[in-house]
mmCIF file of all heavy atoms in Angstrom:
data_model
loop_
_atom_site.group_PDB
_atom_site.id
_atom_site.type_symbol
_atom_site.label_atom_id
_atom_site.label_comp_id
_atom_site.label_asym_id
_atom_site.label_seq_id
_atom_site.Cartn_x
_atom_site.Cartn_y
_atom_site.Cartn_z
ATOM 1 N N GLU A 856 2.272 -6.524 5.595
ATOM 2 C CA GLU A 856 1.715 -7.887 5.524
ATOM 3 C C GLU A 856 0.300 -7.958 5.994
ATOM 4 O O GLU A 856 -0.101 -7.325 6.965
ATOM 5 C CB GLU A 856 2.635 -8.745 6.438
ATOM 6 C CG GLU A 856 2.133 -10.159 6.625
ATOM 7 C CD GLU A 856 1.319 -10.402 7.938
ATOM 8 O OE1 GLU A 856 1.628 -9.805 8.942
ATOM 9 O OE2 GLU A 856 0.347 -11.181 7.823
ATOM 10 N N TRP A 884 0.958 -7.169 1.387
ATOM 11 C CA TRP A 884 1.818 -8.415 1.081
ATOM 12 C C TRP A 884 1.126 -9.610 1.703
ATOM 13 O O TRP A 884 0.946 -9.651 2.931
ATOM 14 C CB TRP A 884 3.206 -8.115 1.670
ATOM 15 C CG TRP A 884 4.144 -9.320 1.878
ATOM 16 C CD1 TRP A 884 4.588 -9.797 3.069
ATOM 17 C CD2 TRP A 884 4.883 -10.068 0.865
ATOM 18 N NE1 TRP A 884 5.568 -10.760 2.835
ATOM 19 C CE2 TRP A 884 5.709 -10.936 1.516
ATOM 20 C CE3 TRP A 884 4.882 -10.017 -0.546
ATOM 21 C CZ2 TRP A 884 6.529 -11.841 0.820
ATOM 22 C CZ3 TRP A 884 5.628 -10.924 -1.243
ATOM 23 C CH2 TRP A 884 6.498 -11.783 -0.531
ATOM 24 N N ILE A 885 0.844 -10.597 0.877
ATOM 25 C CA ILE A 885 0.298 -11.844 1.501
ATOM 26 C C ILE A 885 1.485 -12.776 1.614
ATOM 27 O O ILE A 885 1.891 -13.487 0.688
ATOM 28 C CB ILE A 885 -0.844 -12.392 0.622
ATOM 29 C CG1 ILE A 885 -1.899 -11.316 0.542
ATOM 30 C CG2 ILE A 885 -1.354 -13.690 1.269
ATOM 31 C CD1 ILE A 885 -3.315 -11.702 0.359
ATOM 32 N N SER A 886 2.047 -12.794 2.810
ATOM 33 C CA SER A 886 3.225 -13.467 3.184
ATOM 34 C C SER A 886 3.016 -14.985 3.367
ATOM 35 O O SER A 886 2.029 -15.390 3.982
ATOM 36 C CB SER A 886 3.711 -12.878 4.487
ATOM 37 O OG SER A 886 4.411 -13.768 5.328
ATOM 38 N N SER A 887 3.948 -15.811 2.859
ATOM 39 C CA SER A 887 3.769 -17.265 3.054
ATOM 40 C C SER A 887 4.013 -17.539 4.578
ATOM 41 O O SER A 887 3.315 -18.404 5.121
ATOM 42 C CB SER A 887 4.725 -18.029 2.220
ATOM 43 O OG SER A 887 6.073 -17.849 2.605
ATOM 44 N N LEU A 888 4.919 -16.818 5.153
ATOM 45 C CA LEU A 888 5.270 -17.011 6.592
ATOM 46 C C LEU A 888 4.036 -16.767 7.445
ATOM 47 O O LEU A 888 3.578 -17.589 8.261
ATOM 48 C CB LEU A 888 6.415 -16.181 7.014
ATOM 49 C CG LEU A 888 6.738 -16.187 8.489
ATOM 50 C CD1 LEU A 888 7.224 -17.514 8.987
ATOM 51 C CD2 LEU A 888 7.771 -15.081 8.877
ATOM 52 N N CYS A 889 3.423 -15.621 7.227
ATOM 53 C CA CYS A 889 2.322 -15.238 8.137
ATOM 54 C C CYS A 889 1.004 -15.930 7.789
ATOM 55 O O CYS A 889 0.169 -16.252 8.681
ATOM 56 C CB CYS A 889 2.145 -13.735 8.141
ATOM 57 S SG CYS A 889 3.651 -12.895 8.716
ATOM 58 N N ASP A 890 0.813 -16.224 6.507
ATOM 59 C CA ASP A 890 -0.365 -16.954 6.120
ATOM 60 C C ASP A 890 -0.318 -18.384 6.752
ATOM 61 O O ASP A 890 -1.278 -18.908 7.308
ATOM 62 C CB ASP A 890 -0.446 -17.101 4.610
ATOM 63 C CG ASP A 890 -1.879 -17.312 4.072
ATOM 64 O OD1 ASP A 890 -2.797 -17.415 4.849
ATOM 65 O OD2 ASP A 890 -1.996 -17.432 2.796
ATOM 66 N N ASP A 898 6.279 -22.736 7.447
ATOM 67 C CA ASP A 898 6.406 -21.988 6.196
ATOM 68 C C ASP A 898 7.174 -22.842 5.201
ATOM 69 O O ASP A 898 8.316 -22.494 4.857
ATOM 70 C CB ASP A 898 7.077 -20.614 6.470
ATOM 71 C CG ASP A 898 7.211 -19.787 5.204
ATOM 72 O OD1 ASP A 898 6.458 -20.036 4.239
ATOM 73 O OD2 ASP A 898 8.010 -18.838 5.286
ATOM 74 N N ARG A 907 -4.278 -20.687 0.217
ATOM 75 C CA ARG A 907 -3.644 -19.286 0.054
ATOM 76 C C ARG A 907 -4.597 -18.381 -0.728
ATOM 77 O O ARG A 907 -4.767 -17.219 -0.387
ATOM 78 C CB ARG A 907 -2.319 -19.377 -0.689
ATOM 79 C CG ARG A 907 -1.278 -20.297 -0.130
ATOM 80 C CD ARG A 907 -0.514 -19.795 1.112
ATOM 81 N NE ARG A 907 -0.128 -18.383 1.031
ATOM 82 C CZ ARG A 907 0.912 -17.887 0.452
ATOM 83 N NH1 ARG A 907 1.827 -18.679 -0.113
ATOM 84 N NH2 ARG A 907 1.168 -16.552 0.480
ATOM 85 N N ASP A 925 3.065 -13.536 -2.042
ATOM 86 C CA ASP A 925 4.339 -14.324 -1.835
ATOM 87 C C ASP A 925 4.034 -15.739 -2.419
ATOM 88 O O ASP A 925 3.334 -16.546 -1.818
ATOM 89 C CB ASP A 925 4.606 -14.412 -0.346
ATOM 90 C CG ASP A 925 5.802 -15.237 0.028
ATOM 91 O OD1 ASP A 925 6.385 -15.842 -0.921
ATOM 92 O OD2 ASP A 925 6.166 -15.293 1.192
ATOM 93 N N ASP A 927 6.187 -18.131 -2.821
ATOM 94 C CA ASP A 927 7.202 -19.120 -2.484
ATOM 95 C C ASP A 927 8.111 -19.405 -3.671
ATOM 96 O O ASP A 927 8.577 -18.527 -4.337
ATOM 97 C CB ASP A 927 6.599 -20.393 -1.905
ATOM 98 C CG ASP A 927 6.037 -20.164 -0.477
ATOM 99 O OD1 ASP A 927 6.690 -19.542 0.295
ATOM 100 O OD2 ASP A 927 4.908 -20.706 -0.277
ATOM 101 N N GLU A 953 10.683 -17.129 -5.398
ATOM 102 C CA GLU A 953 12.104 -17.143 -5.017
ATOM 103 C C GLU A 953 12.842 -18.283 -5.675
ATOM 104 O O GLU A 953 12.229 -19.340 -6.007
ATOM 105 C CB GLU A 953 12.207 -17.247 -3.496
ATOM 106 C CG GLU A 953 11.549 -18.446 -2.887
ATOM 107 C CD GLU A 953 11.351 -18.277 -1.357
ATOM 108 O OE1 GLU A 953 12.314 -18.653 -0.604
ATOM 109 O OE2 GLU A 953 10.355 -17.799 -0.900
ATOM 110 N N LYS A 955 14.485 -20.958 -5.310
ATOM 111 C CA LYS A 955 14.865 -22.138 -4.536
ATOM 112 C C LYS A 955 14.100 -23.327 -5.104
ATOM 113 O O LYS A 955 13.002 -23.171 -5.723
ATOM 114 C CB LYS A 955 14.514 -21.946 -3.111
ATOM 115 C CG LYS A 955 15.491 -20.901 -2.447
ATOM 116 C CD LYS A 955 15.604 -21.018 -0.938
ATOM 117 C CE LYS A 955 14.353 -20.741 -0.233
ATOM 118 N NZ LYS A 955 14.505 -19.786 0.925
ATOM 119 N N LYS A 959 11.174 -26.004 0.463
ATOM 120 C CA LYS A 959 11.495 -24.630 0.811
ATOM 121 C C LYS A 959 11.378 -24.397 2.286
ATOM 122 O O LYS A 959 10.464 -24.821 2.936
ATOM 123 C CB LYS A 959 10.522 -23.686 0.082
ATOM 124 C CG LYS A 959 10.887 -22.227 0.198
ATOM 125 C CD LYS A 959 9.708 -21.335 0.403
ATOM 126 C CE LYS A 959 9.263 -21.374 1.876
ATOM 127 N NZ LYS A 959 8.598 -20.110 2.293
ATOM 128 N N LYS A 960 12.390 -23.724 2.858
ATOM 129 C CA LYS A 960 12.325 -23.291 4.271
ATOM 130 C C LYS A 960 12.347 -21.799 4.298
ATOM 131 O O LYS A 960 12.785 -21.111 3.343
ATOM 132 C CB LYS A 960 13.503 -23.822 5.037
ATOM 133 C CG LYS A 960 13.694 -25.344 5.005
ATOM 134 C CD LYS A 960 13.099 -26.050 6.247
ATOM 135 C CE LYS A 960 13.269 -27.493 6.173
ATOM 136 N NZ LYS A 960 14.596 -28.074 6.217
ATOM 137 N N ASN A 961 11.875 -21.172 5.329
ATOM 138 C CA ASN A 961 11.864 -19.737 5.401
ATOM 139 C C ASN A 961 13.276 -19.168 5.294
ATOM 140 O O ASN A 961 14.220 -19.665 5.879
ATOM 141 C CB ASN A 961 11.171 -19.199 6.715
ATOM 142 C CG ASN A 961 11.057 -17.749 6.784
ATOM 143 O OD1 ASN A 961 12.004 -17.014 7.118
ATOM 144 N ND2 ASN A 961 10.018 -17.235 6.312
ATOM 145 N N SER A 962 13.444 -18.093 4.549
ATOM 146 C CA SER A 962 14.805 -17.519 4.246
ATOM 147 C C SER A 962 15.486 -17.036 5.508
ATOM 148 O O SER A 962 16.767 -17.007 5.536
ATOM 149 C CB SER A 962 14.621 -16.327 3.329
ATOM 150 O OG SER A 962 14.096 -16.746 2.124
ATOM 151 N N LEU A 963 14.757 -16.692 6.538
ATOM 152 C CA LEU A 963 15.387 -16.134 7.700
ATOM 153 C C LEU A 963 16.087 -17.249 8.491
ATOM 154 O O LEU A 963 16.958 -16.881 9.375
ATOM 155 C CB LEU A 963 14.392 -15.411 8.577
ATOM 156 C CG LEU A 963 13.701 -14.235 7.796
ATOM 157 C CD1 LEU A 963 12.659 -13.569 8.596
ATOM 158 C CD2 LEU A 963 14.725 -13.160 7.322
ATOM 159 N N ARG A 999 12.793 -13.244 -6.976
ATOM 160 C CA ARG A 999 13.484 -13.073 -5.686
ATOM 161 C C ARG A 999 14.774 -13.891 -5.632
ATOM 162 O O ARG A 999 14.795 -15.057 -5.947
ATOM 163 C CB ARG A 999 12.549 -13.546 -4.594
ATOM 164 C CG ARG A 999 13.181 -13.752 -3.246
ATOM 165 C CD ARG A 999 12.060 -13.948 -2.236
ATOM 166 N NE ARG A 999 12.566 -14.483 -0.977
ATOM 167 C CZ ARG A 999 11.737 -14.622 0.102
ATOM 168 N NH1 ARG A 999 10.511 -14.369 0.042
ATOM 169 N NH2 ARG A 999 12.284 -15.101 1.274
ATOM 170 N N GLU A 1001 17.967 -15.426 -3.815
ATOM 171 C CA GLU A 1001 18.297 -15.857 -2.526
ATOM 172 C C GLU A 1001 19.865 -16.044 -2.335
ATOM 173 O O GLU A 1001 20.315 -16.617 -1.286
ATOM 174 C CB GLU A 1001 17.598 -17.252 -2.271
ATOM 175 C CG GLU A 1001 16.103 -17.133 -2.153
ATOM 176 C CD GLU A 1001 15.596 -16.526 -0.836
ATOM 177 O OE1 GLU A 1001 15.685 -17.172 0.209
ATOM 178 O OE2 GLU A 1001 15.219 -15.312 -0.861
ATOM 179 N N ILE A 1004 21.158 -14.659 1.069
ATOM 180 C CA ILE A 1004 20.620 -15.554 2.167
ATOM 181 C C ILE A 1004 21.471 -16.834 2.246
ATOM 182 O O ILE A 1004 21.828 -17.303 3.346
ATOM 183 C CB ILE A 1004 19.190 -15.873 1.853
ATOM 184 C CG1 ILE A 1004 18.244 -14.640 2.008
ATOM 185 C CG2 ILE A 1004 18.694 -17.042 2.709
ATOM 186 C CD1 ILE A 1004 17.875 -14.189 3.398
ATOM 187 N N MET A 1028 13.514 -8.957 -6.320
ATOM 188 C CA MET A 1028 13.596 -8.785 -4.832
ATOM 189 C C MET A 1028 14.886 -9.372 -4.362
ATOM 190 O O MET A 1028 15.276 -10.476 -4.707
ATOM 191 C CB MET A 1028 12.372 -9.521 -4.166
ATOM 192 C CG MET A 1028 12.559 -9.494 -2.660
ATOM 193 S SD MET A 1028 11.217 -10.416 -1.833
ATOM 194 C CE MET A 1028 12.144 -10.894 -0.295
ATOM 195 N N HIS A 1030 17.084 -10.279 -1.015
ATOM 196 C CA HIS A 1030 16.879 -10.528 0.426
ATOM 197 C C HIS A 1030 18.187 -10.723 1.167
ATOM 198 O O HIS A 1030 19.140 -11.159 0.609
ATOM 199 C CB HIS A 1030 15.920 -11.726 0.613
ATOM 200 C CG HIS A 1030 15.131 -11.670 1.858
ATOM 201 N ND1 HIS A 1030 14.991 -10.530 2.587
ATOM 202 C CD2 HIS A 1030 14.437 -12.618 2.569
ATOM 203 C CE1 HIS A 1030 14.169 -10.773 3.623
ATOM 204 N NE2 HIS A 1030 13.814 -12.069 3.640
ATOM 205 N N SER A 1031 18.151 -10.449 2.468
ATOM 206 C CA SER A 1031 19.329 -10.604 3.307
ATOM 207 C C SER A 1031 18.779 -10.875 4.785
ATOM 208 O O SER A 1031 17.731 -10.407 5.080
ATOM 209 C CB SER A 1031 20.144 -9.276 3.276
ATOM 210 O OG SER A 1031 21.050 -9.281 4.404
ATOM 211 N N VAL A 1058 12.882 -6.476 1.778
ATOM 212 C CA VAL A 1058 12.054 -6.857 2.890
ATOM 213 C C VAL A 1058 12.948 -6.631 4.173
ATOM 214 O O VAL A 1058 13.668 -7.487 4.565
ATOM 215 C CB VAL A 1058 11.568 -8.316 2.831
ATOM 216 C CG1 VAL A 1058 10.845 -8.743 4.057
ATOM 217 C CG2 VAL A 1058 10.739 -8.534 1.583
ATOM 218 N N SER A 1060 13.344 -7.022 7.332
ATOM 219 C CA SER A 1060 12.920 -7.620 8.622
ATOM 220 C C SER A 1060 14.151 -7.662 9.567
ATOM 221 O O SER A 1060 14.042 -7.323 10.723
ATOM 222 C CB SER A 1060 12.404 -9.014 8.440
ATOM 223 O OG SER A 1060 11.266 -9.050 7.579
ATOM 224 N N SER A 1061 15.311 -8.161 9.005
ATOM 225 C CA SER A 1061 16.466 -8.260 9.864
ATOM 226 C C SER A 1061 17.206 -6.908 9.893
ATOM 227 O O SER A 1061 17.632 -6.423 10.953
ATOM 228 C CB SER A 1061 17.436 -9.288 9.340
ATOM 229 O OG SER A 1061 16.763 -10.521 9.219
ATOM 230 N N ILE A 1079 8.762 -3.911 1.809
ATOM 231 C CA ILE A 1079 7.666 -4.775 2.410
ATOM 232 C C ILE A 1079 7.985 -5.020 3.863
ATOM 233 O O ILE A 1079 9.034 -5.522 4.235
ATOM 234 C CB ILE A 1079 7.617 -6.130 1.636
ATOM 235 C CG1 ILE A 1079 7.296 -5.923 0.146
ATOM 236 C CG2 ILE A 1079 6.561 -7.040 2.322
ATOM 237 C CD1 ILE A 1079 7.228 -7.229 -0.652
ATOM 238 N N ALA A 1081 7.108 -7.404 6.202
ATOM 239 C CA ALA A 1081 6.575 -8.677 5.868
ATOM 240 C C ALA A 1081 5.898 -9.521 6.989
ATOM 241 O O ALA A 1081 5.228 -10.417 6.711
ATOM 242 C CB ALA A 1081 7.689 -9.583 5.232
ATOM 243 N N ASN A 1082 6.211 -9.146 8.244
ATOM 244 C CA ASN A 1082 5.664 -9.992 9.281
ATOM 245 C C ASN A 1082 5.376 -9.305 10.616
ATOM 246 O O ASN A 1082 5.030 -9.919 11.588
ATOM 247 C CB ASN A 1082 6.680 -11.143 9.569
ATOM 248 C CG ASN A 1082 8.086 -10.584 9.794
ATOM 249 O OD1 ASN A 1082 8.304 -9.558 10.430
ATOM 250 N ND2 ASN A 1082 9.080 -11.254 9.188
HETATM 251 C C1 SPV B 1320 7.445 -14.097 3.899
HETATM 252 O O1 SPV B 1320 6.941 -13.112 4.456
HETATM 253 O O2 SPV B 1320 6.879 -15.165 3.893
HETATM 254 C C2 SPV B 1320 8.700 -13.964 3.151
HETATM 255 C C3 SPV B 1320 9.691 -12.970 3.609
HETATM 256 O O3 SPV B 1320 8.950 -14.774 2.269
HETATM 257 S S1 SPV B 1320 10.792 -13.777 4.678
HETATM 258 O O4 SPV B 1320 9.998 -14.348 5.755
HETATM 259 O O5 SPV B 1320 11.692 -12.747 5.194
HETATM 260 O O6 SPV B 1320 11.469 -14.783 3.915
#
Side-chain angles (χ1 to χ4, degrees):
E856 173 264 322
W884 164 245
I885 303 206
S886 148
S887 68
L888 171 67
C889 299
D890 203 1
D898 181 19
R907 305 280 321 274
D925 178 355
D927 287 318
E953 58 195 273
K955 288 201 298 228
K959 189 221 82 154
K960 305 259 177 69
N961 185 273
S962 298
L963 301 175
R999 164 171 167 175
E1001 292 287 285
I1004 292 281
M1028 172 183 151
H1030 208 15
S1031 162
V1058 178
S1060 301
S1061 305
I1079 300 179
N1082 50 41

